[in-house]
Amino acid sequence: MADKGGVRGHGISIGDTAPPWRRLEQSLPPFPPVAAALLRLLSQEGLSPRDVQDLIRSDAVLSAEVLRLANSPIFGHSYEIINILHAITMLGADRLKGLVLTVVMRKVVASQRRCPSLKVIWRHNLACALAAESLAAACWTDGGRAYTAGLLHDIGALALEAAYPEIRERLAEESRGDMADLLKLEREAFGLDHCEAGMHLILHWGLPEDVAMVAARHHERQACLSSELEEIVNFSCRCAALAGFQEPANTDPDQRQMLRDYYSLMPPARRRNELAATADAIAGKINLFECEFQAL
Protein backbone atom coordinates (compact mmCIF):
# COMPACT_ATOMS: atom_id res chain seq x y z
CA MET A 1 0.00 0.00 0.00
CA ALA A 2 2.73 2.44 0.93
CA ASP A 3 6.47 2.68 0.78
CA LYS A 4 9.10 5.33 1.30
CA GLY A 5 9.00 6.33 -2.32
CA GLY A 6 5.41 7.48 -2.23
CA VAL A 7 1.85 6.17 -2.18
CA ARG A 8 0.34 4.39 -5.16
CA GLY A 9 1.91 6.83 -7.62
CA HIS A 10 0.42 9.90 -5.95
CA GLY A 11 3.81 11.19 -4.82
CA ILE A 12 3.11 11.53 -1.09
CA SER A 13 6.31 11.16 0.86
CA ILE A 14 5.95 9.13 4.03
CA GLY A 15 9.60 9.05 5.01
CA ASP A 16 8.86 10.57 8.43
CA THR A 17 7.53 8.50 11.28
CA ALA A 18 4.61 10.75 12.23
CA PRO A 19 1.18 9.12 11.94
CA PRO A 20 -0.84 10.33 8.93
CA TRP A 21 -3.27 12.43 10.96
CA ARG A 22 -0.42 14.40 12.53
CA ARG A 23 0.87 15.31 9.07
CA LEU A 24 -2.65 16.46 8.18
CA GLU A 25 -2.85 18.56 11.32
CA GLN A 26 0.32 20.35 10.26
CA SER A 27 -1.35 21.29 6.97
CA LEU A 28 -4.02 23.32 8.78
CA PRO A 29 -3.31 26.74 10.28
CA PRO A 30 -2.92 26.25 14.05
CA PHE A 31 -5.81 27.14 16.32
CA PRO A 32 -5.21 30.46 18.08
CA PRO A 33 -3.70 29.58 21.48
CA VAL A 34 -6.59 31.21 23.33
CA ALA A 35 -9.16 29.28 21.29
CA ALA A 36 -7.39 25.96 21.89
CA ALA A 37 -7.19 26.63 25.65
CA LEU A 38 -10.82 27.73 25.67
CA LEU A 39 -12.05 24.54 23.99
CA ARG A 40 -10.20 22.47 26.58
CA LEU A 41 -11.66 24.55 29.39
CA LEU A 42 -15.21 24.32 28.02
CA SER A 43 -14.90 20.53 27.90
CA GLN A 44 -14.22 20.28 31.64
CA GLU A 45 -16.82 19.44 34.24
CA GLY A 46 -17.64 22.13 36.78
CA LEU A 47 -16.00 24.95 34.86
CA SER A 48 -15.99 28.47 36.31
CA PRO A 49 -17.81 31.03 34.10
CA ARG A 50 -15.40 33.72 35.22
CA ASP A 51 -12.40 31.62 34.17
CA VAL A 52 -13.99 31.24 30.74
CA GLN A 53 -14.69 34.97 30.56
CA ASP A 54 -11.14 35.89 31.54
CA LEU A 55 -9.68 33.56 28.93
CA ILE A 56 -11.87 34.83 26.07
CA ARG A 57 -11.31 38.46 27.01
CA SER A 58 -7.53 37.91 26.81
CA ASP A 59 -8.01 37.81 23.01
CA ALA A 60 -9.89 41.00 22.15
CA VAL A 61 -10.50 40.03 18.51
CA LEU A 62 -11.89 36.59 19.34
CA SER A 63 -14.03 38.07 22.13
CA ALA A 64 -15.56 40.66 19.77
CA GLU A 65 -16.21 38.13 17.02
CA VAL A 66 -17.87 35.64 19.36
CA LEU A 67 -20.11 38.34 20.83
CA ARG A 68 -21.07 39.61 17.39
CA LEU A 69 -21.97 36.12 16.21
CA ALA A 70 -23.90 35.39 19.42
CA ASN A 71 -26.06 38.46 18.76
CA SER A 72 -26.58 37.85 15.05
CA PRO A 73 -30.07 37.04 13.71
CA ILE A 74 -28.76 33.61 12.68
CA PHE A 75 -29.54 32.20 16.10
CA GLY A 76 -32.68 34.24 16.67
CA HIS A 77 -32.14 35.13 20.33
CA SER A 78 -34.83 37.44 21.69
CA TYR A 79 -32.38 39.17 24.04
CA GLU A 80 -29.10 41.02 23.59
CA ILE A 81 -25.99 39.30 24.91
CA ILE A 82 -24.02 42.17 26.39
CA ASN A 83 -20.73 40.55 27.42
CA ILE A 84 -18.88 37.24 27.55
CA LEU A 85 -20.08 36.36 31.05
CA HIS A 86 -23.66 36.94 29.91
CA ALA A 87 -23.02 34.71 26.89
CA ILE A 88 -21.71 31.90 29.10
CA THR A 89 -24.74 32.16 31.39
CA MET A 90 -27.38 32.43 28.68
CA LEU A 91 -25.93 30.16 25.99
CA GLY A 92 -24.19 27.44 27.99
CA ALA A 93 -20.80 25.83 27.41
CA ASP A 94 -21.74 23.77 24.35
CA ARG A 95 -23.32 26.68 22.46
CA LEU A 96 -20.37 28.93 23.31
CA LYS A 97 -17.99 26.20 22.15
CA GLY A 98 -19.88 26.03 18.86
CA LEU A 99 -19.56 29.79 18.35
CA VAL A 100 -15.82 29.75 19.05
CA LEU A 101 -15.32 26.83 16.66
CA THR A 102 -17.38 28.59 13.97
CA VAL A 103 -15.20 31.69 14.16
CA VAL A 104 -11.95 29.70 14.21
CA MET A 105 -12.88 27.24 11.44
CA ARG A 106 -14.06 30.05 9.15
CA LYS A 107 -10.64 31.67 9.55
CA VAL A 108 -8.96 28.36 8.71
CA VAL A 109 -10.91 28.16 5.46
CA ALA A 110 -10.35 31.83 4.61
CA SER A 111 -6.59 31.39 5.03
CA GLN A 112 -6.48 28.61 2.40
CA ARG A 113 -7.50 30.63 -0.65
CA ARG A 114 -5.51 28.35 -2.97
CA CYS A 115 -8.06 25.59 -2.46
CA PRO A 116 -11.61 26.70 -3.44
CA SER A 117 -13.10 23.30 -2.59
CA LEU A 118 -12.41 24.02 1.09
CA LYS A 119 -15.21 26.57 1.01
CA VAL A 120 -17.59 23.92 -0.35
CA ILE A 121 -16.72 21.58 2.53
CA TRP A 122 -16.99 24.43 5.04
CA ARG A 123 -20.47 25.35 3.83
CA HIS A 124 -21.52 21.69 3.97
CA ASN A 125 -20.27 21.45 7.57
CA LEU A 126 -22.04 24.65 8.54
CA ALA A 127 -25.30 23.53 6.93
CA CYS A 128 -25.00 20.20 8.75
CA ALA A 129 -24.43 22.02 12.06
CA LEU A 130 -27.54 24.16 11.59
CA ALA A 131 -29.66 21.16 10.64
CA ALA A 132 -28.28 19.16 13.57
CA GLU A 133 -29.16 21.92 16.02
CA SER A 134 -32.71 22.02 14.70
CA LEU A 135 -33.09 18.26 14.75
CA ALA A 136 -31.69 18.04 18.28
CA ALA A 137 -34.38 20.44 19.44
CA ALA A 138 -37.00 18.23 17.78
CA CYS A 139 -35.58 15.25 19.66
CA TRP A 140 -35.39 17.16 22.98
CA THR A 141 -31.63 16.83 23.23
CA ASP A 142 -28.79 19.35 23.53
CA GLY A 143 -28.61 21.57 20.47
CA GLY A 144 -25.21 23.05 21.32
CA ARG A 145 -23.48 19.68 21.32
CA ALA A 146 -25.26 18.69 18.08
CA TYR A 147 -24.17 21.96 16.43
CA THR A 148 -20.54 21.37 17.41
CA ALA A 149 -20.61 17.77 16.18
CA GLY A 150 -22.17 18.84 12.88
CA LEU A 151 -19.66 21.64 12.39
CA LEU A 152 -16.71 19.26 12.89
CA HIS A 153 -18.07 16.08 11.30
CA ASP A 154 -16.09 16.62 8.07
CA ILE A 155 -12.98 18.27 9.54
CA GLY A 156 -10.97 15.34 8.18
CA ALA A 157 -12.05 16.22 4.64
CA LEU A 158 -10.98 19.83 5.24
CA ALA A 159 -7.56 18.62 6.40
CA LEU A 160 -7.08 16.31 3.41
CA GLU A 161 -8.11 19.05 0.98
CA ALA A 162 -5.72 21.52 2.62
CA ALA A 163 -2.83 19.05 2.62
CA TYR A 164 -3.27 17.35 -0.76
CA PRO A 165 -5.77 19.35 -2.88
CA GLU A 166 -4.73 18.02 -6.28
CA ILE A 167 -4.47 14.40 -5.16
CA ARG A 168 -7.81 14.39 -3.38
CA GLU A 169 -9.43 15.97 -6.42
CA ARG A 170 -8.12 13.09 -8.54
CA LEU A 171 -9.39 10.57 -6.00
CA ALA A 172 -12.81 12.20 -6.08
CA GLU A 173 -12.86 11.90 -9.86
CA GLU A 174 -11.82 8.24 -9.65
CA SER A 175 -14.56 7.45 -7.13
CA ARG A 176 -17.23 9.06 -9.37
CA GLY A 177 -19.28 10.20 -6.43
CA ASP A 178 -19.33 6.83 -4.68
CA MET A 179 -18.43 7.56 -1.05
CA ALA A 180 -17.42 3.98 -0.24
CA ASP A 181 -14.96 4.04 -3.14
CA LEU A 182 -13.61 7.43 -2.09
CA LEU A 183 -12.97 6.24 1.47
CA LYS A 184 -11.14 3.18 0.11
CA LEU A 185 -9.02 5.32 -2.22
CA GLU A 186 -8.18 7.73 0.61
CA ARG A 187 -6.98 4.86 2.79
CA GLU A 188 -4.79 3.56 -0.03
CA ALA A 189 -3.35 7.00 -0.81
CA PHE A 190 -3.01 8.60 2.62
CA GLY A 191 -2.99 5.71 5.10
CA LEU A 192 -6.37 6.78 6.49
CA ASP A 193 -9.68 8.11 5.22
CA HIS A 194 -11.20 11.50 6.05
CA CYS A 195 -13.47 9.99 8.72
CA GLU A 196 -10.50 8.55 10.63
CA ALA A 197 -8.56 11.77 10.14
CA GLY A 198 -11.40 13.81 11.63
CA MET A 199 -11.68 11.51 14.64
CA HIS A 200 -7.96 11.80 15.45
CA LEU A 201 -7.89 15.59 15.01
CA ILE A 202 -10.91 16.13 17.28
CA LEU A 203 -9.48 13.91 20.01
CA HIS A 204 -6.10 15.65 19.72
CA TRP A 205 -7.77 19.03 20.21
CA GLY A 206 -9.22 17.78 23.49
CA LEU A 207 -12.85 17.76 22.37
CA PRO A 208 -15.36 15.17 23.61
CA GLU A 209 -15.10 11.58 22.44
CA ASP A 210 -18.72 11.46 21.26
CA VAL A 211 -18.01 14.35 18.86
CA ALA A 212 -14.95 12.47 17.57
CA MET A 213 -17.04 9.34 16.99
CA VAL A 214 -19.51 11.37 14.95
CA ALA A 215 -16.65 12.30 12.59
CA ALA A 216 -15.52 8.66 12.47
CA ARG A 217 -18.98 7.29 11.61
CA HIS A 218 -20.79 10.00 9.70
CA HIS A 219 -20.89 7.93 6.51
CA GLU A 220 -22.11 4.75 8.22
CA ARG A 221 -25.59 3.42 7.58
CA GLN A 222 -28.15 4.11 10.29
CA ALA A 223 -28.08 0.55 11.60
CA CYS A 224 -24.34 0.88 12.36
CA LEU A 225 -24.64 4.01 14.48
CA SER A 226 -24.32 3.72 18.24
CA SER A 227 -25.55 7.02 19.70
CA GLU A 228 -28.29 9.57 19.27
CA LEU A 229 -25.72 12.25 18.43
CA GLU A 230 -24.36 10.08 15.59
CA GLU A 231 -27.88 9.56 14.25
CA ILE A 232 -28.68 13.28 14.39
CA VAL A 233 -25.53 14.33 12.52
CA ASN A 234 -25.80 11.50 9.99
CA PHE A 235 -29.34 12.62 9.19
CA SER A 236 -28.36 16.29 9.20
CA CYS A 237 -25.52 15.58 6.77
CA ARG A 238 -28.16 14.39 4.29
CA CYS A 239 -30.36 17.39 5.05
CA ALA A 240 -27.44 19.67 4.21
CA ALA A 241 -26.96 17.88 0.89
CA LEU A 242 -30.68 18.16 0.12
CA ALA A 243 -30.47 21.90 0.83
CA GLY A 244 -27.79 22.20 -1.86
CA PHE A 245 -24.74 22.03 0.40
CA GLN A 246 -23.37 18.71 -0.75
CA GLU A 247 -19.94 17.33 0.00
CA PRO A 248 -17.95 17.92 -3.20
CA ALA A 249 -16.98 14.26 -3.56
CA ASN A 250 -20.42 12.80 -2.84
CA THR A 251 -23.00 12.82 -5.63
CA ASP A 252 -25.32 10.19 -4.22
CA PRO A 253 -28.55 10.40 -6.29
CA ASP A 254 -30.62 8.69 -3.61
CA GLN A 255 -30.37 11.39 -0.93
CA ARG A 256 -34.08 12.19 -1.06
CA GLN A 257 -35.14 8.56 -0.59
CA MET A 258 -32.63 8.10 2.21
CA LEU A 259 -34.11 11.12 3.98
CA ARG A 260 -37.59 9.63 3.70
CA ASP A 261 -36.24 6.41 5.21
CA TYR A 262 -34.65 8.32 8.08
CA TYR A 263 -37.87 10.19 8.80
CA SER A 264 -39.71 6.87 9.02
CA LEU A 265 -37.15 5.56 11.54
CA MET A 266 -37.59 8.42 14.00
CA PRO A 267 -39.61 7.38 17.09
CA PRO A 268 -43.05 8.99 16.69
CA ALA A 269 -43.25 9.88 20.38
CA ARG A 270 -40.15 12.05 20.05
CA ARG A 271 -41.12 13.77 16.84
CA ARG A 272 -42.41 17.27 16.44
CA ASN A 273 -44.04 18.61 13.30
CA GLU A 274 -40.66 19.44 11.76
CA LEU A 275 -37.66 17.24 12.50
CA ALA A 276 -35.06 19.37 10.76
CA ALA A 277 -34.67 22.75 9.16
CA THR A 278 -36.09 23.06 5.66
CA ALA A 279 -33.77 23.52 2.71
CA ASP A 280 -34.78 27.18 2.41
CA ALA A 281 -34.15 27.84 6.11
CA ILE A 282 -30.68 26.28 5.96
CA ALA A 283 -29.76 28.20 2.82
CA GLY A 284 -31.00 31.45 4.37
CA LYS A 285 -28.89 30.95 7.49
CA ILE A 286 -25.81 30.10 5.42
CA ASN A 287 -26.26 33.40 3.58
CA LEU A 288 -26.58 35.22 6.91
CA PHE A 289 -23.37 33.59 8.11
CA GLU A 290 -21.52 34.72 5.00
CA CYS A 291 -22.74 38.29 5.53
CA GLU A 292 -21.74 38.22 9.19
CA PHE A 293 -18.25 36.94 8.44
CA GLN A 294 -17.68 39.53 5.74
CA ALA A 295 -18.34 42.17 8.39
CA LEU A 296 -16.03 40.60 10.99
Side-chain angles (χ1 to χ4, degrees):
M1 182 167 85
D3 57 42
K4 293 189 177 181
V7 180
R8 297 292 299 270
H10 291 290
I12 302 172
S13 173
I14 62 168
D16 58 69
T17 58
W21 68 269
R22 289 304 299 267
R23 298 199 298 276
L24 289 177
E25 182 190 34
Q26 293 164 8
S27 72
L28 293 173
F31 271 22
V34 169
L38 179 63
L39 293 176
R40 288 193 294 272
L41 182 61
L42 289 170
S43 296
Q44 296 176 6
E45 297 290 336
L47 61 88
S48 165
R50 291 199 177 275
D51 287 345
V52 176
Q53 173 187 244
D54 291 345
L55 184 55
I56 295 179
R57 288 172 62 182
S58 69
D59 186 324
V61 174
L62 179 65
S63 177
E65 291 178 346
V66 169
L67 271 180
R68 181 187 177 93
L69 199 54
N71 281 301
S72 80
I74 299 164
F75 299 109
H77 299 306
S78 58
Y79 45 81
E80 181 184 6
I81 296 174
I82 57 177
N83 55 43
I84 293 298
L85 189 60
H86 189 207
I88 298 163
T89 304
M90 300 304 294
L91 302 180
D94 279 321
R95 159 53 70 217
L96 188 60
K97 189 187 302 179
L99 292 181
V100 171
L101 281 167
T102 302
V103 170
V104 172
M105 293 310 300
R106 183 63 180 84
K107 288 184 174 181
V108 167
V109 173
S111 70
Q112 300 287 306
R113 299 182 187 277
R114 66 188 178 87
C115 187
S117 58
L118 284 181
K119 185 175 181 180
V120 177
I121 300 172
W122 153 254
R123 287 163 68 90
H124 169 75
N125 280 5
L126 188 53
C128 180
L130 293 167
E133 182 179 44
S134 178
L135 182 58
C139 293
W140 302 310
T141 191
D142 182 59
R145 178 65 63 91
Y147 178 94
T148 296
L151 189 69
L152 292 178
H153 82 284
D154 237 0
I155 186 66
L158 275 173
L160 282 174
E161 287 283 347
Y164 311 114
E166 295 179 358
I167 295 172
R168 193 164 188 269
E169 183 178 350
R170 290 203 298 271
L171 298 184
E173 291 175 359
E174 289 179 33
S175 68
R176 300 186 181 187
D178 186 304
M179 185 54 65
D181 281 352
L182 177 62
L183 295 173
K184 178 176 179 290
L185 289 169
E186 286 176 344
R187 288 190 290 270
E188 292 175 350
F190 308 124
L192 79 175
D193 59 44
H194 70 268
C195 300
E196 296 170 279
M199 177 190 70
H200 285 299
L201 289 171
I202 291 168
L203 290 174
H204 180 66
W205 291 333
L207 297 176
E209 184 177 346
D210 60 348
V211 175
M213 295 315 297
V214 166
R217 296 173 176 162
H218 72 273
H219 286 304
E220 297 282 353
R221 293 293 179 178
Q222 200 269 347
C224 300
L225 304 178
S226 60
S227 75
E228 182 178 61
L229 188 62
E230 291 172 19
E231 292 178 359
I232 286 172
V233 174
N234 190 290
F235 179 80
S236 300
C237 187
R238 302 186 188 283
C239 287
L242 192 61
F245 301 100
Q246 184 111 358
E247 294 166 277
N250 187 5
T251 57
D252 189 340
D254 298 322
Q255 293 283 2
R256 206 172 283 269
Q257 182 58 47
M258 289 178 182
L259 283 175
R260 293 193 191 100
D261 293 342
Y262 268 64
Y263 274 114
S264 70
L265 289 168
M266 285 289 168
R270 299 179 60 196
R271 255 188 264 168
R272 293 183 184 174
N273 290 334
E274 293 185 6
L275 285 175
T278 63
D280 286 345
I282 294 175
K285 287 189 174 184
I286 295 290
N287 289 333
L288 281 173
F289 260 111
E290 295 297 330
C291 292
E292 289 291 337
F293 277 115
Q294 285 175 10
L296 289 177

